[in-house]
Each structure stands twice: as C-alpha cells, then as structure tokens.
Amino acid sequence: MATGHGLSLTAVSQLSWRNLWRNQRRTIIMLLAIAVGVWAMIFMTALMRGMVDQMIEDGIDALPGYVQLHHPDYRDDPNVENSLPPPGPELLVALGSPPVEAWARRVKVPAMASSERNNRAVMLLGVDPQPEIAVGFDPSSIVAGRFLEGPNDPGLVVGRKLLERLETDLGKRIVIMSQGPNNSIADRGFRIVGVFEGKLSAQEENLVYAAIGTTQELLGMGEQISEIAVKGGDYRDASALYAWVEQAAGGQYEVLPWTKLDTYLGLMLGVMDGFVLVWVVVIFMALSFGLVNTLMMAVFERVREFGLMQALGMKPASILYQVLLEALMLLTLGLLLGNVMAVASIMPLRDGIDLSIVAEGIEMMGASSTLYPALKPKDLVMANTVVIVLGILTSLLPAWRASRYRPVEAIAKT
Amino acid sequence: MAEIKCVELCKTYRQGDAIIKALDHVSLDIEQGAFICLSGPSGSGKTTLLNMIGGLDALDSGEISIDGQRVDLLEKGALADLRLHHIGFVFQSYNLIPVLSARENVEFVMQVQGVPAAERRRKSMAILEEVGLKDMEGRRPSQLSGGQQQRVAVARAIVSQPKLVLADEPTANLDSVSAKHLMELFVELNQNHRVTFLISTHDERVMRYAQRLVRMRDGKVVSDEIQISD
Ligand SMILES: Nc1ncnc2c1ncn2[C@@H]1O[C@H](COP(=O)(O)OP(=O)(O)OP(=O)(O)O)[C@@H](O)[C@H]1O
Ligand SMILES: [Mg+2]
C-alpha cells in the first residue's frame, strides 16, 4: 500500500497504535466506558427481547395458533350462528402438510357459568384436547385434576381464579348456559375435572374448557365449529403459512395471521427492532461525548507532532487517517471487551431469571415471571455496527482538526 | 542541487498591538551547491526565512523560486511533495515524533516516500552510525539527550539526500566534538553530493565552515560575504 503520497497502512497503524497507548490511563478509562456502554446495549437488549418474545409467545399460545380461520362475521359477533362447517377435503389436505405443523378445531362462544353461589360471564371453549395441546395449550398449566381426555369428555376445566369467584371446587358441578341456534337457550351441568393456572390472569378468570363434541351437542350446532387454529414454522414470519392456508381455504372463510388477530402483539414484534436501534443509539450518544473529548485531548496534546509530520511532507489526509485509525482501534477494543462482557453475563442466565418478587406487576403487563434473555445475532450486529459507524463519524471532527494545523504554528518554539 | 532565488520577501506578524516585521524586503540568491550560514541576533528572522523557503508559511509579498519553480505559488499538496522529496529539515526546537524510536524517526520521511523497508533500514543504520548513534537506534526521543535528539533530526534530514537542507540551529545542543563531526558530515555531503545547505546559527564554530555568511537583523539582510576557507 505504499504510495508516494502517504504512509503505508501498516506504518499509519503503528503510529496510531503507539499513540493509543501513550496515555494509558485515559485509554483504559475510555475503553472501559465503551465496553460498559456496549455491554449495556447488548445485555439490556437481550432482556427486552426475552421479555417481549415471551409476551408474544404467550399471547400466541392464548390465541392460539399463528393463523386462524373464522366465519367472516364471527369476530364481530362470536355467536353460534356465525360458525363454520368442518374443514372440507381440500382444506384437510392442506392442513395435513407443511408448513402446517398442527391445527385444531374449536368452538368458542360467550356463556354464563353458575355455581350454587355465584355466576360469571365466561368464554366457553369446545376443544379437541390433543390438537389443542399441539396448537398452544400447556398441559403443565393444569394445577389440579386433569385436562380433557377426548372430544367427548363430559368434564369441564376451569381457571383457578374462576373457581375462587364461583366459590366452588374441583369435582363439583357448575352449570354452563349459552345461546344455541335460533335464539334458543342451551344449558348443561358439568363436573369440574381440572383446574388450570393461566399465564395471564384474564385467562384464569374467563376461560372454560369443555370437549368439542360435548359443546357441539350442548349448543345443538352439529359438526359446526367457531374457528380453526393453525400453527407452523416461525411465528415471526407467518406469511408463508398464511398464504398456504388462505389459498386452500377458498373464499368462504376469513383467514387471518396472528399479527392481525391481536394487533397489539403484532405491533410489539414490529416495534421491537426500532426500539433496539433507539436504545443502542441513545447509549452511543452518551458514549460519544467521552469519545470526542478523549480524542480531542489526544489531538491537542499532539499539535506539534502533527505540524512536524506535515512539515516533513506528510499529507493532511494521512494525519486524518492516523487519528481515525486510532479511534477505530479504541472502538474495536472497546467493542470486543463489551461483547465478551455481554455474552459472559448473559450465558449464565440462559435458564431464566426469576422475577417472582416483582412478578405481580409484570404479570399484569402480560409477561410471565421467569425472564429468558434472548441474545440475537442481529442485535449484536446492530450494536456493533452502530458503535463503529457512529464512532467513526464522531471521530471525524477531532481527526479533521488534527489535519488542519499549520506546520509553522505547530512547531514554533513555545 | 538547488538554486534558490528570494526576491523582496516580506512577512509581518502581529503580537498583540505590535506589528513585527519578521522579514523586511529580504532578497537572497543561493547558487546551486552553496553552503551558506545565516546568522544574526535572536528575533532577526532566520527561522522565518527558512520556513518561507521550505514553504511552511505564506509570504505577505515577494517571490521565492527553487530551481525556477515558484514556491510561493504552489498549493499545499505540491508544497508537501516538494518538502518530502527535495528538502531536508532540521528544526530549531521540535524535531522528533515521540512514539517512534530513533531509527524509526530517521526512516519516517523515507517511509512517507514509500522506500522499501530493507533499503530504509540499511540507509538509516548507516546514517545513524555517521552521527554516532548506532547503539541508540531503538531509543525513543524521551530517552535521548538534547544533542542526541538533534543528531537524529540531522540524520533524518540528510538520509535521503535531498537537494536542499534547511537546518535551523543544528548544533545548538551539541558539544564541540559532535558539532565538528556534524559540520564535517555536512561539508562532505555538500562537496561530494552537491547538496545545497542553508544553516541558521549563532555558533562561531559553524560559521567557520560556511562558504558564504549572511547576517540578518530586524528582518533585513545586513551583510552577505563570501568567506575564504582556511
Ligand atoms: N508565529 C509567529 N507569530 C508571531 N510572531 C512571530 C511568529 N514567528 C516569529 N515571530 C516573530 O518574528 C520575529 C522573527 O522571528 P524568527 O523566529 O524568525 O527569529 P530568529 O532569527 O529565528 O530568532 P532565534 O535566533 O531566536 O531563533 C521575532 O520577533 C518573532 O517573535
Ligand atoms: Mg530561529
């Protein structure tokens, strides 16, 4: 790289490197500042990602599925009338092959649950237990009794909170009342066979699980269902699954991905990337003051040297490179240290951070009480890129200053 | 080889309210291969004149040409190239790059010129031996005495045999043995390689070597005489 116009890259790097260590204390302080900043960027991002991922995943499990099919009017009026026939042969074939991994038929209607003491408005879910688990129901959330055992199980599974509200207990009977077709009233007594604990307290209070066959019979709706929930692939990009199901469904169904079914959840996923960028840039801003200050000091201290180099025939551009390279070395070392610190502090937390002390508040926001930090390569890349790119931009000013000194002024005896 | 013509050079500096005429209508012709000493009291404008010839500062008025090329009209980049390839500098006070060793300082100009490493090393070691610093090649400037630093600067100025050497008080910090040795080295380069020397000095020992002695006072040339060497 030697040219007649400037120092070779190796020679400039050598100068930069030695100058970097000239004021060791200052360099080490700045390195630590960068490292801590980068650590904060990556560590906090991983925590936020972990929290949001979990909120989204829990939210999707509660929907459930990444894509759902409904009668076009169902979402406005979740009524028995707005139900679907069971999937036809073409749709069945589509649901049986990739990208679909699991699907479930469900009946979902508003109902009234009454014990001998109390009654509550609930959402009655008629589910087929095996597929329901496959699309999102967590069997380990059953804290007493059992989950439903087949499409015609006569039992009922209710949330822990609802049990308290109704002042009833496992093994006792409650009455579920809803509206059948043609405004008929349908009701039936169920024995409570299981109690579940929901990730969200609203689920515990509102959801009542019955077997799908039993529910269809109660409501007198034959083989009709309220919705089909479909799961498959990566929830972050449900577009392929959506397209596949949509095409097979034909026009009679309303097919929607989870991002549209729960727009708040969908928004969170989209907003997160921007949020990470803002966070990273904000930390960098704080760092940049220190960086500019350090470099400016390093430049002012060396005014005479820069003048001397120019007097000897070095081009101002080489001086600019020299200072930029020095900044780049500082940034790279700081980044290296910061990345190592971040990874080293996240790794031991892979099994989750127990937040149960503050869990009450967090649960209300829709997050669960164990936080799994999510270290994503793209977040690492973003943090490192921002620091390098903005760092170099920030260093341009001191570097430019360094290259602007007039040789005579610089070397004039003091 | 370099032929330098200075015509009516003027340069004023402002210090507070006072205006200082650092160069006051200085005209000077320097023939090819000359060996000239510039003497005069402190503040007489010696350093200013050397800086102007080396294109380190802009004139208020006047013309300077080196081998027919108008230095005062060159733009910055061209001036840098001129200094890099044709002029060797020894500055009065601040000469060495602190983070480089003695040898690396000597090699610095060659490095900017793009001279291959092996050749740089050979030349720099040879010249360091000439100035008596062979054993100090690895020392940083802070580990060298003022005189040793001065000799490193001289070594750097002459190592790539420029056609013109501008030396500002090169013997200021040297004992008489080193000063004598240095002057003999200059004379040798002047006679065998036809390098033009312009040396500013207060030092009588240095003036003795000059073929021509130019005296300055208050920014003016007050005398200009050819010396017959003894
Ligand atoms: N950058 C500057 N700003 C203001 N005044 C200056 C500057 N450089 C030189 N001068 C003034 O110009 C005059 C000539 O200075 P110069 O350095 O050329 O003298 P000199 O002959 O080299 O002196 P010395 O023997 O002390 O080195 C002095 O009065 C000096 O104070
Ligand atoms: Mg001077």
Side-chain angles (χ1 to χ4, degrees):
Chain A
M1 273 230 14
T3 69
H5 300 285
L7 281 174
S8 68
L9 191 59
T10 37
V12 176
S13 329
Q14 191 188 43
L15 276 172
S16 304
W17 180 253
R18 289 193 191 167
N19 279 313
L20 186 61
W21 296 106
R22 216 154 134 180
N23 191 329
Q24 287 190 10
R25 217 170 70 108
R26 190 173 61 205
T27 299
I28 286 170
I29 289 173
M30 195 55 218
L31 267 182
L32 288 179
I34 296 175
V36 169
V38 170
W39 171 83
M41 288 175 187
I42 298 172
F43 187 79
M44 292 306 288
T45 301
L47 288 192
M48 287 189 295
R49 282 275 189 210
M51 194 187 278
V52 168
D53 277 4
Q54 207 148 24
M55 272 159 118
I56 293 175
E57 281 162 24
D58 290 351
I60 290 177
D61 281 350
L63 279 172
Y66 306 164
V67 172
Q68 287 184 356
L69 291 79
H70 296 109
H71 183 283
D73 296 328
Y74 175 82
R75 279 165 17 97
D76 283 338
D77 181 9
N79 181 311
V80 196
E81 305 282 349
N82 294 330
S83 60
L84 304 171
E90 198 187 335
L91 184 55
L92 272 177
V93 169
L95 291 173
S97 43
V100 177
E101 283 162 11
W103 66 279
R105 299 172 300 145
R106 315 174 92 219
V107 172
K108 186 178 175 188
V109 291
M112 184 64 79
S114 316
S115 68
E116 64 274 32
R117 294 175 198 270
N118 247 327
N119 47 46
R120 306 277 303 179
V122 296
M123 191 55 91
L124 172 64
L125 294 173
V127 302
D128 195 352
Q130 259 6 76
E132 184 68 12
I133 290 170
V135 295
F137 184 83
D138 178 6
S140 68
S141 67
I142 299 289
V143 290
R146 58 171 177 84
F147 191 48
L148 303 165
E149 279 172 346
N152 294 305
D153 192 318
L156 194 70
V157 173
V158 302
R160 196 170 42 83
K161 283 235 174 69
L162 183 63
L163 206 65
E164 284 166 18
R165 298 268 190 273
L166 293 176
E167 297 176 53
T168 182
D169 222 330
L170 186 68
K172 297 208 169 144
R173 294 177 72 90
I174 59 171
V175 173
I176 298 292
M177 186 175 78
S178 185
Q179 195 155 50
N182 310 317
N183 299 326
S184 60
I185 295 291
D187 59 1
R188 178 188 157 134
F190 284 87
R191 186 178 300 283
I192 299 171
V193 298
V195 179
F196 73 92
E197 214 166 45
K199 291 205 173 95
L200 314 172
S201 55
Q203 293 175 334
E204 260 188 51
E205 237 179 286
N206 295 330
L207 296 187
V208 171
Y209 286 89
I212 187 163
T214 317
T215 314
Q216 283 167 332
E217 194 192 314
L218 162 70
L219 298 172
M221 60 196 295
E223 286 294 300
Q224 295 285 103
I225 51 176
S226 304
E227 63 188 15
I228 300 173
V230 189
K231 189 174 168 175
D234 182 2
Y235 68 83
R236 286 183 191 80
D237 185 10
S239 56
L241 182 70
Y242 170 76
W244 174 255
V245 174
E246 150 102 294
Q247 201 204 356
Q252 53 176 329
Y253 299 103
E254 179 194 52
V255 184
L256 289 172
W258 66 269
T259 46
K260 297 242 172 62
L261 289 165
D262 187 333
T263 44
Y264 172 69
L265 277 187
L267 201 66
M268 280 225 284
L269 185 75
V271 156
M272 225 4 227
D273 282 347
F275 196 69
V276 169
L277 181 64
V278 169
W279 170 245
V280 164
V281 169
V282 164
I283 295 194
F284 179 83
M285 299 284 225
L287 272 184
S288 68
F289 290 100
L291 184 66
V292 169
N293 195 44
T294 302
L295 287 172
M296 275 298 189
M297 262 155 63
V299 164
F300 285 140
E301 278 172 7
R302 305 216 297 271
V303 172
R304 310 182 92 198
E305 242 164 286
F306 295 131
L308 174 65
M309 288 175 179
Q310 287 195 51
L312 293 175
M314 192 167 176
K315 293 276 164 64
S318 296
I319 290 166
L320 190 93
Y321 293 145
Q322 191 190 319
V323 177
L324 280 185
L325 211 57
E326 201 175 320
L328 190 65
M329 286 171 175
L330 188 68
L331 290 167
T332 311
L333 285 178
L335 274 175
L336 224 62
L337 204 62
N339 280 291
V340 168
M341 275 162 55
V343 172
S345 59
I346 292 171
M347 280 322 216
L349 302 174
R350 264 173 311 179
D351 297 333
I353 306 162
D354 188 8
L355 295 177
S356 42
I357 314 161
V358 286
E360 207 58 31
I362 292 177
E363 248 174 49
M364 273 166 46
M365 288 160 44
S368 70
S369 62
T370 310
L371 177 54
Y372 299 89
L375 184 60
K376 309 229 160 138
K378 73 166 176 183
D379 291 339
L380 278 181
V381 169
M382 169 132 57
N384 285 284
T385 311
V386 164
V387 172
I388 287 285
V389 171
L390 293 188
I392 290 295
L393 288 179
T394 313
S395 314
L396 274 173
L397 177 68
W400 180 79
R401 283 297 305 266
S403 69
R404 298 289 299 176
Y405 288 113
R406 303 224 331 268
V408 258
E409 284 169 13
I411 56 177
K413 54 183 173 178
T414 43
Chain B
M1 279 183 284
E3 185 182 19
I4 303 160
K5 285 191 195 304
C6 301
V7 185
E8 297 282 309
L9 306 184
C10 288
K11 178 73 183 180
T12 52
Y13 287 111
R14 196 177 283 276
Q15 272 177 350
D17 287 340
I19 289 176
I20 295 159
K21 290 186 175 176
L23 292 180
D24 190 3
H25 299 277
V26 171
S27 292
L28 194 64
D29 274 4
I30 299 169
E31 64 279 21
Q32 282 187 11
F35 196 100
I36 300 181
C37 267
L38 210 51
S39 79
S42 185
S44 56
K46 305 182 292 295
T47 298
T48 308
L49 180 58
L50 293 185
N51 285 345
M52 292 299 163
I53 293 173
L56 291 178
D57 203 354
L59 286 166
D60 293 344
S61 64
E63 295 176 7
I64 300 174
S65 55
I66 299 182
D67 288 343
Q69 188 172 41
R70 284 283 295 278
V71 173
D72 53 304
L73 299 182
L74 288 178
E75 49 91 28
K76 275 186 169 179
L79 281 174
D81 274 338
L82 175 75
R83 289 196 294 271
L84 180 64
H85 294 287
H86 302 299
I87 303 179
F89 274 104
V90 180
F91 299 105
Q92 191 167 358
S93 53
Y94 191 86
N95 262 306
L96 302 180
I97 296 162
V99 292
L100 298 182
S101 70
R103 180 168 60 78
E104 288 164 340
N105 262 290
V106 174
E107 286 189 23
F108 182 80
V109 171
M110 289 190 283
Q111 218 169 12
V112 182
Q113 287 172 343
V115 175
E119 188 183 340
R120 287 202 310 258
R121 196 186 174 87
R122 188 173 49 74
K123 284 189 171 175
S124 59
M125 287 310 288
I127 207 84
L128 279 171
E129 184 159 16
E130 281 286 349
V131 298
L133 290 175
K134 191 166 177 267
D135 302 331
M136 315 232 166
E137 56 143 334
R139 293 211 192 166
R140 296 276 175 93
S142 58
Q143 300 165 318
L144 296 170
S145 74
Q148 288 165 339
Q149 291 180 33
Q150 198 95 3
R151 282 184 279 164
V152 174
V154 167
R156 182 190 56 208
I158 60 182
V159 68
S160 48
Q161 295 193 357
K163 56 184 183 181
L164 170 65
V165 170
L166 299 173
D168 203 353
E169 312 268 5
T171 59
N173 295 306
L174 299 188
D175 59 82
S176 48
V177 178
S178 302
K180 181 165 181 282
H181 190 80
L182 191 64
M183 290 316 293
E184 280 164 1
L185 188 62
F186 279 3
V187 169
E188 193 268 330
L189 282 169
N190 175 250
Q191 286 175 353
N192 298 340
H193 300 281
R194 303 278 288 152
V195 178
T196 304
F197 277 83
L198 185 55
I199 304 166
S200 101
T201 190
H202 294 290
D203 192 340
E204 293 294 335
R205 299 169 301 182
V206 172
M207 293 177 211
R208 273 208 302 266
Y209 288 89
Q211 302 155 353
R212 192 174 147 197
L213 185 61
V214 177
R215 289 183 197 277
M216 294 184 72
R217 173 166 297 146
D218 299 331
K220 293 191 181 71
V221 173
V222 290
S223 80
D224 185 348
E225 47 203 57
I226 306 288
Q227 297 199 130
I228 316 295
S229 57
D230 30 41

